[in-house]
């Protein structure tokens, strides 16, 4: 086993890996950016090294700086976690070639083959795994997209070869949309994965998203640990995952599991990975392989009892997997809820800020994966995750009941979160019945329901002092013999998180602003369209002197790894555009001035 391992990542996944290392007696090394000097993963590690400025491109994506940190620390292994460099075959190759350092993951050759989606499709076809109709070679022009539209029919999906989690994927519903969608997919692929190559496939309208966890060692053992259902998504981003899938019967479950094993064996794959499928009308189609640990791996751990991260480390150290496929048993049901700093009432727009209160739940069957404590800052430089709430029970019905208890007890103040959304879903008949598809949230859940959920269960508004500390106080009061918990802000009582506003007096939650399809809400400040979040300008779509009719996209802001369209709320003539591509903006900064 290794002596010391560097985690080339941040946040909860870095802590999760360090926990597994600690149990194995392996020392841990954190890397951090300027923005993460006091982050939870830095506090947890045995030692830590700064690798650059806040921008991920200059820190967590800086391969040279990370390898230098590993050398300085004397680390003999590197684990990439998920995101950032986790699926970068060039980085894996650099680690493999570095003297005395082991890469914890599949080989760079397997990553290269399966990370490029067109190559992966060919491998899966060779292994007799069904694939969605589409291209097996990259597409470079809008005319090619239009030709494929004529062949397969619309809608089509343009996908970045290095993409995942909905990033680098654009839907084309007509020939007229091909050019803009292709440009956007290539831009996201370059920005997020340093690979602007894209491919095209038929877009399934209402599939289930089902994925299979794989473990393979260097001694010929290839296991699947059952499937996870990740169908509850917003804008192709997973938000709730569960194991096993409520949509599969035993026969289809066995078929998908064995198909995943065949596919990764064909690729000569080792270590942990996930084979993702789309399921529709009883048929399944290969979508992609994630050559890394997944955000949602805990639900598989909870129903199999297998510590996936521990086995990653053991496999990388050359050890054999301790079980065979026949030993893998699925017991009970598990759900994972991503607790993100996002406002469900505002198109799930990011809500960076300090955690004025952070009190996660506990109790039987409840697990929290996080790297935060009260007072920490949710910045706008990285993803919006606060924590993962994982709940396990003997049956799905009991798991839903236990989840409701845990979510009610989960207190966060200072930023809006996805907790109200999760509580809403636990009352939703379609979700409770397990009949939701990947389109359900975006197309069927009403915006008014989301706003009402945030008003009822959202984070209390919290004023902060100049030093960033909360100026509110939670106090207990008794009225007519009944005890209430209230938050006092400047002498004004508001209902505490979890309280019933009708009984406690006052309401909390959303800001009442209308949301747009891109996920960001803009408000007119005088004659300016302003940013309602911190982020980076990806593109500017208007110029001074241009006439707008209102409702048009004037620019695109990237915040917490999400593209957000900025919409002009009203018509007018563009008088000034004070920002340019690549500029960093703060909440309230003017983006476009109208006259």
């Amino acid at each position: 086993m290794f002596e010391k391992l560097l985690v080339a990542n941040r946040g909860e996944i870095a802590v999760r890996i360090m926990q597994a290392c600690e149990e194995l007696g392996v020392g841990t090394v954190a890397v951090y950016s300027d923005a993460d000097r006091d982050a939870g993963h830095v506090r947890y590690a045995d030692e830590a090294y700064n690798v650059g400025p806040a921008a991920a491109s200059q820190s967590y994506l800086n391969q040279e700086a990370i390898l230098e940190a590993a050398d300085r620390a004397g680390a003999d292994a590197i684990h990439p976690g998920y995101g950032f460099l986790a699926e970068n075959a060039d980085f894996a190759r650099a680690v493999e070639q570095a003297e005395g350092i082991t890469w914890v993951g599949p080989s760079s050759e397997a990553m290269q083959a399966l990370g490029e989606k067109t190559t992966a499709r060919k491998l899966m076809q060779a292994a007799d795994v069904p694939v969605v109709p589409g291209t097996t070679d990259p597409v470079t022009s809008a005319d090619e997209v239009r030709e494929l539209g004529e062949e397969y029919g619309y809608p089509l999906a343009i996908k970045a070869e290095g993409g995942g989690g909905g990033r680098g994927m654009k839907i084309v519903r007509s020939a007229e949309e091909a050019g803009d969608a292709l440009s956007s997919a290539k831009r996201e692929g370059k920005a997020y994965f340093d690979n602007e190559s894209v491919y095209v496939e038929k877009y399934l309208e209402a599939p289930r998203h089902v994925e299979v966890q794989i473990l393979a060692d260097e001694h010929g053992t290839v296991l699947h640990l059952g499937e996870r259902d990740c169908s509850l998504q917003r804008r192709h981003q997973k938000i709730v995952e569960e194991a096993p899938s409520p949509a599969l019967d035993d026969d289809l479950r066995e078929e998908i599991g064995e198909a995943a094993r065949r596919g990764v064996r064909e690729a000569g794959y080792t270590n942990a990975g996930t084979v993702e499928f789309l399921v529709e009308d009883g048929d399944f189609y290969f979508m992609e392989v994630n050559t890394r640990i997944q955000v949602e791996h805990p639900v598989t751990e909870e129903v199999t009892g297998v510590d996936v991260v521990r086995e990653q480390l053991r496999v990388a150290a050359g050890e054999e997997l301790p079980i065979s496929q026949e030993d893998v048993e699925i017991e009970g049901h598990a759900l994972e809820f991503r607790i993100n700093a996002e406002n469900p009432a505002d198109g799930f727009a990011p809500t960076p800020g300090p955690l004025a209160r952070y009190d996660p739940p506990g109790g039987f069957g409840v697990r929290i994966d996080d790297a935060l404590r009260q007072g920490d800052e949710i910045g706008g430089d990285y993803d919006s995750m606060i924590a993962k709430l994982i709940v396990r029970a003997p049956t799905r019905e009991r798991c839903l009941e236990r989840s409701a208890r845990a979510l009610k007890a989960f207190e966060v103040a200072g930023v809006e979160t996805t907790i109200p959304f999760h509580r809403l879903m636990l009352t939703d008949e379609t979700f409770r019945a397990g009949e939701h598809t990947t389109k359900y949230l975006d197309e069927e859940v009403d915006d008014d329901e989301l706003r009402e959920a945030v008003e009822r269960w959202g984070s209390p508004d919290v004023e902060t002092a100049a030093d960033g500390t909360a100026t509110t106080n939670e106090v207990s009061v008794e009225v007519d013999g009944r005890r209430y918990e209230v938050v006092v802000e400047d002498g004004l009582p508001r209902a505490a998180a979890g309280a019933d506003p009708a009984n406690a007096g006052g309401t909390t939650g959303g800001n009442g602003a209308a949301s747009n399809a891109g996920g960001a809400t803009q408000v007119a400040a005088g004659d300016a369209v302003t940013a309602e979040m911190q982020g980076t300008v990806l593109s500017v779509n208007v110029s001074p002197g241009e006439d707008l009719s209102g409702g048009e996209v004037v620019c695109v802001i990237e915040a917490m790894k999400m593209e957000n369209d900025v919409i002009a709320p009203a018509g007018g003539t563009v008088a000034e555009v004070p920002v340019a591509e690549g500029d960093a903006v703060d909440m309230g900064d003017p983006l476009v001035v109208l006259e």
Side-chain angles (χ1 to χ4, degrees), residues 15-175:
V15 171
R16 170 70 183 90
I17 295 164
M18 292 173 191
Q19 290 169 341
C21 287
E22 190 173 19
E23 293 180 13
L24 289 167
V26 177
T28 55
V29 181
V31 293
Y32 63 93
S33 71
D34 291 347
D36 273 346
R37 280 194 173 90
D38 300 315
H41 72 286
V42 177
R43 297 190 295 261
Y44 195 96
D46 296 324
E47 53 190 290
Y49 295 83
N50 186 295
V51 288
S57 61
Q58 300 176 57
S59 53
Y60 295 109
L61 293 173
N62 187 335
Q63 299 182 31
E64 184 177 343
I66 291 172
L67 288 170
E68 181 182 346
D71 182 63
R72 291 176 59 194
D76 56 353
I78 291 179
H79 193 309
Y82 56 73
F84 294 129
L85 295 169
E87 292 183 279
N88 188 309
D90 290 337
F91 180 61
R93 190 173 297 110
V95 175
E96 291 167 346
Q97 294 172 353
E99 185 176 354
I101 303 179
T102 298
W103 171 254
V104 181
S107 69
S108 58
E109 289 81 5
M111 290 179 66
Q112 186 79 44
L114 292 173
E116 294 181 352
K117 302 304 189 294
T118 52
T119 305
R121 287 166 61 89
K122 293 176 183 177
L123 280 169
M124 291 297 158
Q125 287 174 319
D128 195 29
V129 177
V131 301
V132 179
T135 63
T136 52
D137 293 306
V139 171
T140 58
S141 71
D143 286 340
E144 290 180 83
V145 177
R146 296 184 187 103
E147 290 173 7
L148 291 164
E150 292 178 5
E151 179 178 356
Y152 299 128
Y154 293 99
L156 299 174
I158 302 177
K159 295 185 174 182
E161 277 199 338
R167 299 185 182 97
M169 183 174 80
K170 300 297 172 184
I171 310 305
V172 183
R173 298 192 176 277
S174 67

Side-chain angles (χ1 to χ4, degrees), residues 87-332:
E87 292 183 279
N88 188 309
D90 290 337
F91 180 61
R93 190 173 297 110
V95 175
E96 291 167 346
Q97 294 172 353
E99 185 176 354
I101 303 179
T102 298
W103 171 254
V104 181
S107 69
S108 58
E109 289 81 5
M111 290 179 66
Q112 186 79 44
L114 292 173
E116 294 181 352
K117 302 304 189 294
T118 52
T119 305
R121 287 166 61 89
K122 293 176 183 177
L123 280 169
M124 291 297 158
Q125 287 174 319
D128 195 29
V129 177
V131 301
V132 179
T135 63
T136 52
D137 293 306
V139 171
T140 58
S141 71
D143 286 340
E144 290 180 83
V145 177
R146 296 184 187 103
E147 290 173 7
L148 291 164
E150 292 178 5
E151 179 178 356
Y152 299 128
Y154 293 99
L156 299 174
I158 302 177
K159 295 185 174 182
E161 277 199 338
R167 299 185 182 97
M169 183 174 80
K170 300 297 172 184
I171 310 305
V172 183
R173 298 192 176 277
S174 67
E176 292 74 23
E177 297 178 4
D180 289 343
L182 178 65
S183 297
S184 182
K186 293 178 71 173
R187 183 176 66 243
E188 285 191 18
K190 180 65 176 177
Y192 293 120
F193 312 106
D194 197 28
N195 180 359
E196 67 175 11
S197 183
V198 300
Y199 67 103
V200 177
E201 65 183 23
K202 178 65 178 172
Y203 185 60
L204 301 181
E205 286 286 10
R208 299 291 293 237
H209 182 136
V210 176
E211 60 189 33
V212 178
Q213 177 70 59
I214 290 293
L215 277 175
D217 63 23
E218 297 174 356
H219 305 275
T221 301
V222 179
L223 306 177
H224 77 77
L225 303 182
E227 85 286 351
R228 300 184 287 258
D229 196 304
C230 309
S231 300
L232 199 65
Q233 305 176 7
R234 82 281 189 274
R235 301 197 302 277
H236 311 291
Q237 292 283 325
K238 302 169 187 175
I239 192 165
V240 176
E241 300 97 353
E242 59 184 304
S245 170
L248 304 189
D249 58 29
D250 290 341
D251 290 341
L252 188 55
R253 176 170 289 114
E254 182 176 356
E255 283 187 58
I256 288 181
E258 289 305 312
R261 292 180 75 196
R262 288 197 308 272
V264 296
R265 195 185 294 276
E266 179 76 21
Y269 192 96
T270 57
N271 214 270
T274 300
V275 186
E276 300 198 342
F277 297 93
L278 295 176
V279 179
E280 192 172 61
D281 298 328
D283 296 318
F284 67 94
Y285 305 95
F286 167 76
M287 182 168 60
E288 63 185 12
V289 177
N290 288 298
T291 57
R292 53 171 169 80
I293 194 73
Q294 291 274 89
V295 177
E296 57 271 22
H297 75 275
V299 292
T300 294
E301 295 179 330
E302 292 299 315
V303 298
T304 63
V306 176
D307 184 332
V308 176
V309 178
R310 180 188 180 94
E311 296 310 321
Q312 279 193 289
L313 298 171
R314 295 184 64 257
V315 167
E319 300 180 23
E320 295 185 49
L321 287 167
I323 58 175
S324 66
Q325 187 63 58
E326 290 70 28
D327 296 323
V328 177
E329 296 183 3
I330 309 298
E331 295 185 2

